[in-house]
């Protein structure tokens, strides 16, 4: 599978990643090479093989639905790019 | 060696260095621990000596991103007081370095990325908490490939790390800063993380010992996520014995990591001296084929001859799906990374672009500016593999191959106790040699990646040199057999001295 510049631009949009126009051809080339490497998987017959999501085949552990973390809003917001009155600021979304 | 008890409140002992035939920085953690216990030196003196080495040598190596000298000395003084109270353990007062992927409260945790260049973590990773509780002293945070994506430590926002054995070569990656720091004796031990070989491959290239534990053995909480079904933290040090001491403090159940395994932590030093008589070592024929440097193969074979002298038996085995490990990894790891790194949105923490015109612009430019090219590549591959219509062909197929690879290992462990082979197909390559060619770079992890896919423990230890650069031997064991791996490495280190060699420029 090979990807062209338009496809790279579409994937970059899905990933919410700005890529400079001049870098798109190089990404297209590299990504195509990676997908070519990945295509070696097709040589394997995996009919009926159960996919392995967890190396120890364990189920996700659940915890009781209770409050376990203290309120650390001030500590977390201290490292935020922009906050005001305990809220994270972003550009206006709704006019 | 005669000992002069050193009162911790007294002036610096004028004899402490002259009494000592081996310089402090040349000692292993076990030796330093004995020295602290005997009062030959204090943790403060020891910490000061290592901080001095970091200041002197780091400009050549770029192994550290952040040096935490003040907190290190405060931790060292606290460790000395703890020892006076009779509450010291084997790691109390031992200086170590943390890979900059582990969150450290109040200290920048950059993950080698511009994205987190100004990120001061509000909390400690569980591994950091556990090592703090053991009394270890943090010297600083080590350099690494950006978000642990790389095999050469060249993708860091802070510039490449140099290999202490030859400053024109890479130290391996992604835990290259930790490996270089230990190899150059800037720290007696360090933490690392391993998603596809990132502890073992740099350990091999820098001539030290590194262990990737069984998936779930060490908590991932506070360890910045790359590929969550593969990531595992582990120790890097000069000897297997030191790795045993560090792992004993790092391992254990953590309710805050839902993939942490609730299983008692053994004393990893207890089995170190077990004789190797009758040990069956499997040599996968796929690990000795095309792509392996001939001199590296020869070095590994010489090490196997040493193991036979120690009473082990070597047999050829087959891991028939080995060649599928890299293709499957480069679907699974990017898919999980694209999901994990979606959290970096320029809103709550991390890099934010200047003057965003709207929310989409804020997201795309913050991420585009914050991530370097290799991270970008992997996010894009993962986004593509998980996009509508491609899931079955890529992610599902890769997970099925993961099962085949895991089954190969389980069949092998019916015949043998451990599996051995080269850690990496070559010794350290030159800086810049592979950085623009991702596929060639990926092949550096050809023997390590399958271990992560299966979730098994793996260890690399130094077994010789080719062109004056270290060669690593990898051992793989079944789940939770870290003690066996450490035992197998320790016995070899009792009869060889590769692990004691120090790069000339840093002796």
């Amino acid at each position: 599978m090979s990807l062209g510049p338009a496809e790279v631009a579409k994937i970059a949009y899905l990933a919410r990643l700005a890529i400079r126009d001049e870098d798109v051809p190089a990404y297209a080339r590299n990504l195509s090479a990676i997908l070519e490497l990945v295509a070696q998987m097709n040589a394997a017959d995996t009919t009926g093989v159960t996919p392995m999501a967890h190396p120890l085949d364990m189920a996700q552990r659940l915890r009781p639905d209770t409050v376990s973390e203290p309120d650390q809003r001030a500590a977390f917001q201290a490292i935020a790019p922009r906050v005001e009155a305990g809220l994270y600021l972003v550009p206006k979304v709704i006019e | 060696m005669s000992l002069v008890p050193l009162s911790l409140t007294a002036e610096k002992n004028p004899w402490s260095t002259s009494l000592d035939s081996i310089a402090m920085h040349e000692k292993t953690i076990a030796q330093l621990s004995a020295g602290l216990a005997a009062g030959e030196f204090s943790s403060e003196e020891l910490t000061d000596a290592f901080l001095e080495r970091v200041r002197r040598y780091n400009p050549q190596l770029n192994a550290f991103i952040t040096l935490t000298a003040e907190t290190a000395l405060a931790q060292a003084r606290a460790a000395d007081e703890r020892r006076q109270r009779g509450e010291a353990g084997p790691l109390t007062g031992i200086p170590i370095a943390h890979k900059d992927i582990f969150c450290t409260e109040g200290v920048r945790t950059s993950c080698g990325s511009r994205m987190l260049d100004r990120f001061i973590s509000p909390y400690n990773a569980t591994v950091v908490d556990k090592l703090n509780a053991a009394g270890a002293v943090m010297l600083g945070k080590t350099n690494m490939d950006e978000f642990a994506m790389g095999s050469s430590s060249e993708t860091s926002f802070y510039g490449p790390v140099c290999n202490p054995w030859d400053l024109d070569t890479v130290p391996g990656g992604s835990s290259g800063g930790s490996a270089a720091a230990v190899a150059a004796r800037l720290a007696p031990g360090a933490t690392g993380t391993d998603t596809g070989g990132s502890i073992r491959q740099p350990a091999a290239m820098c001539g030290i010992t590194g262990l990737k534990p069984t998936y779930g053995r060490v908590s991932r909480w506070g360890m910045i996520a790359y590929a969550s079904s593969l990531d595992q933290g582990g120790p890097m040090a000069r000897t297997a014995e030191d790795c045993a001491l560090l792992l004993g403090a790092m391992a254990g159940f953590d309710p805050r990591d839902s993939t942490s395994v609730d299983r008692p932590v053994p004393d990893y030093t207890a089995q170190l001296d077990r004789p190797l008589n009758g040990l069956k070592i499997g040599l996968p024929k796929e690990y000795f084929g095309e792509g392996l440097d001939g001199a590296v193969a020869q070095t590994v074979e010489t090490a196997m001859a040493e193991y036979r002298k120690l009473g082990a038996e070597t047999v050829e085995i087959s891991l028939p799906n080995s060649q599928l490990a890299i293709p499957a990894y480069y679907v699974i790891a990017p898919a999980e990374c694209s999901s994990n790194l979606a959290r970096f949105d320029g809103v709550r923490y991390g890099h934010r672009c200047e003057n965003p015109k709207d929310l989409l612009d804020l997201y795309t430019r913050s991420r585009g500016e914050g991530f370097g090219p290799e991270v970008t590549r992997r996010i894009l591959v993962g986004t593509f593999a998980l996009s509508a219509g491609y899931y079955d062909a890529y992610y599902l197929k890769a997970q099925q191959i993961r099962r085949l690879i895991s089954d190969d290992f389980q069949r092998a462990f019916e015949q043998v106790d451990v599996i051995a082979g080269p850690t990496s197909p070559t010794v350290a390559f030159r800086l810049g040699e592979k950085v623009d060619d991702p596929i060639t770079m990926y092949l550096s992890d050809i023997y390590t990646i399958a271990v992560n896919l299966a979730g098994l423990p793996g260890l690399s230890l130094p077994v010789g040199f080719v062109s004056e650069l270290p060669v690593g031997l990898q051992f793989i064991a079944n789940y939770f057999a870290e003690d066996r791996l450490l035992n197998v490495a320790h016995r070899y280190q009792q009869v060889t001295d590769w692990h004691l060699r120090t790069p000339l420029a840093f002796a």
Side-chain angles (χ1 to χ4, degrees):
Chain A
M1 177 116 195
S2 136
L3 297 175
E7 286 153 310
V8 168
K10 186 182 161 218
I11 298 163
Y13 169 75
L14 290 174
R16 300 295 185 270
L17 262 172
I19 295 177
R20 288 181 307 190
D21 289 342
E22 63 263 38
D23 293 335
V24 170
Y27 279 115
R29 221 171 25 251
N30 284 324
L31 262 51
S32 298
I34 294 168
L35 292 178
E36 199 178 307
L37 173 80
V38 160
Q40 292 172 18
M41 293 197 305
N42 299 330
D45 180 6
T46 52
T47 317
V49 176
T50 312
M52 183 173 171
H54 185 295
L56 302 176
D57 277 326
M58 290 170 110
Q60 196 86 338
R61 194 176 57 248
L62 299 176
R63 61 172 170 80
D65 185 15
T66 52
V67 176
S68 57
E69 293 292 324
D71 177 10
Q72 297 188 68
R73 185 164 74 171
F76 295 157
Q77 293 206 328
I79 49 168
R82 282 193 73 191
V83 286
E84 195 179 297
L87 302 171
Y88 292 98
L89 293 191
V90 295
K92 203 174 195 177
V93 179
I94 302 163
E95 291 299 327
Chain B
M1 186 169 18
S2 61
L3 303 177
V4 176
L6 173 64
S7 162
L8 295 170
T9 50
E11 293 295 315
K12 191 170 173 173
N13 185 341
W15 303 100
S16 62
T17 46
S18 57
L19 276 175
D20 203 343
S21 53
I22 319 173
M24 278 195 282
H25 67 266
E26 281 290 359
K27 292 185 181 222
T28 65
I29 291 176
Q31 289 167 339
L32 291 172
S33 189
L36 286 167
E40 290 170 36
F41 41 80
S42 68
S43 174
E44 191 175 356
E45 290 169 309
L46 182 60
T47 301
D48 212 30
F50 276 107
L51 288 171
E52 204 39 55
R53 283 186 67 79
V54 178
R55 288 191 194 99
R56 180 169 164 200
Y57 290 113
N58 194 54
Q60 296 171 56
L61 294 171
N62 201 23
F64 281 81
I65 292 173
T66 303
L67 189 64
T68 51
E70 269 179 46
T71 52
L73 290 169
Q75 281 183 315
R77 283 189 288 270
D80 287 333
E81 284 162 21
R82 177 171 166 180
R83 185 171 298 283
Q84 261 193 330
R85 293 195 304 269
E87 295 163 10
L91 294 179
T92 305
I94 301 291
I96 57 163
H98 282 300
K99 185 177 182 181
D100 208 17
I101 197 169
F102 288 101
C103 284
T104 43
E105 188 177 347
V107 175
R108 172 171 63 178
T109 300
S110 74
C111 223
S113 181
R114 183 183 182 198
M115 181 59 83
L116 293 176
D117 180 42
R118 279 174 290 176
F119 175 67
I120 309 291
S121 174
Y123 67 104
N124 276 336
T126 297
V127 162
V128 173
D129 270 341
K130 278 175 163 287
L131 284 164
N132 282 349
V137 170
M138 178 175 84
L139 296 168
K141 308 289 297 285
T142 59
N143 204 349
M144 55 182 283
D145 278 302
E146 184 180 11
F147 284 101
M149 299 178 201
S151 309
S152 67
S153 300
E154 292 172 289
T155 70
S156 170
F157 175 61
Y158 304 93
V161 182
C162 301
N163 189 320
W165 291 98
D166 176 348
L167 297 175
D168 294 327
T169 66
V170 302
S174 65
S175 311
S178 288
V182 172
R185 315 301 186 228
L186 307 190
T191 54
T193 62
D194 191 315
T195 304
S198 284
I199 286 175
R200 292 159 289 157
Q201 186 256 22
M205 290 189 169
C206 289
I208 65 163
T209 309
L211 171 67
K212 181 207 97 74
T214 307
Y215 182 78
R217 179 74 288 190
V218 170
S219 169
R220 295 186 297 107
W221 200 78
M223 194 179 104
I224 296 172
Y226 157 24
S228 299
S229 78
L230 305 166
D231 296 342
Q232 184 62 201
M236 305 175 80
R238 289 171 58 197
T239 66
E241 183 183 21
D242 288 358
C243 285
L245 290 168
L246 289 169
L247 181 64
M250 294 168 75
F253 176 63
D254 181 5
R256 291 182 293 194
D257 170 4
S258 66
T259 59
S260 170
V261 175
D262 193 357
R263 187 184 165 110
V265 178
D267 174 359
Y268 290 110
T269 61
Q271 296 291 317
L272 286 175
D273 289 317
R274 183 176 164 191
L276 301 186
N277 295 323
L279 177 81
K280 271 186 109 169
I281 303 176
L283 304 174
K285 62 173 195 246
E286 293 82 3
Y287 286 22
F288 292 89
E290 198 189 333
L292 175 62
D293 179 276
V296 170
Q298 188 54 52
T299 309
V300 168
E301 274 155 31
T302 305
M304 284 303 118
E306 192 64 49
Y307 271 99
R308 285 190 287 271
K309 275 200 260 169
L310 288 167
E313 184 193 339
T314 54
V315 290
E316 188 185 277
I317 58 165
S318 176
L319 299 169
N321 292 293
S322 293
Q323 79 287 358
L324 295 170
I326 285 190
Y329 177 88
Y330 280 99
V331 173
I332 292 172
E336 295 183 10
C337 115
S338 74
S339 164
N340 269 324
L341 272 59
R343 76 191 66 191
F344 299 104
D345 56 6
V347 174
R348 288 157 302 162
Y349 56 91
H351 177 73
R352 174 184 281 209
C353 65
E354 296 285 339
N355 304 317
K357 65 175 167 39
D358 54 29
L359 196 56
L360 181 68
D361 186 44
L362 167 68
Y363 292 153
T364 57
R365 273 203 295 131
S366 297
R367 289 164 62 76
E369 292 167 7
F371 295 134
E374 183 61 21
V375 172
T376 300
R377 276 195 281 272
R378 294 195 197 189
I379 291 175
L380 293 176
V381 170
T383 304
F384 172 72
L386 292 177
S387 63
Y390 292 106
Y391 181 86
D392 285 1
Y394 288 102
Y395 197 63
L396 202 71
K397 180 82 177 177
Q399 284 191 317
Q400 289 176 312
I401 286 171
R402 189 172 184 180
R403 170 87 53 198
L404 297 178
I405 286 166
S406 177
D407 289 349
D408 280 357
F409 279 116
Q410 286 313 308
R411 266 191 297 276
F413 287 128
E414 287 169 12
Q415 300 171 53
V416 299
D417 300 306
V418 291
I419 295 168
T423 306
S424 191
T426 66
V427 292
F429 42 92
R430 300 187 81 71
L431 283 158
E433 186 182 324
K434 300 185 181 180
V435 76
D436 294 321
D437 182 0
I439 304 293
T440 310
M441 183 76 89
Y442 297 170
L443 294 176
S444 190
D445 295 323
I446 192 161
Y447 307 129
T448 48
I449 272 178
V451 174
N452 298 77
L453 291 170
L456 295 165
L459 176 148
S460 179
L461 75 159
V463 293
F465 291 84
V466 166
S467 314
E468 294 173 26
L469 290 166
V471 174
L473 170 67
Q474 176 178 230
F475 278 105
I476 305 162
N478 216 335
Y479 299 114
F480 300 103
E482 286 83 2
D483 51 353
R484 193 56 162 156
L485 288 178
L486 291 162
N487 159 236
V488 166
H490 179 73
R491 292 297 298 206
Y492 178 86
Q493 292 180 336
Q494 297 309 293
V495 295
T496 58
D497 69 350
W498 304 114
H499 60 293
L500 300 176
R501 309 283 179 98
T502 304
L504 207 55
F506 303 93

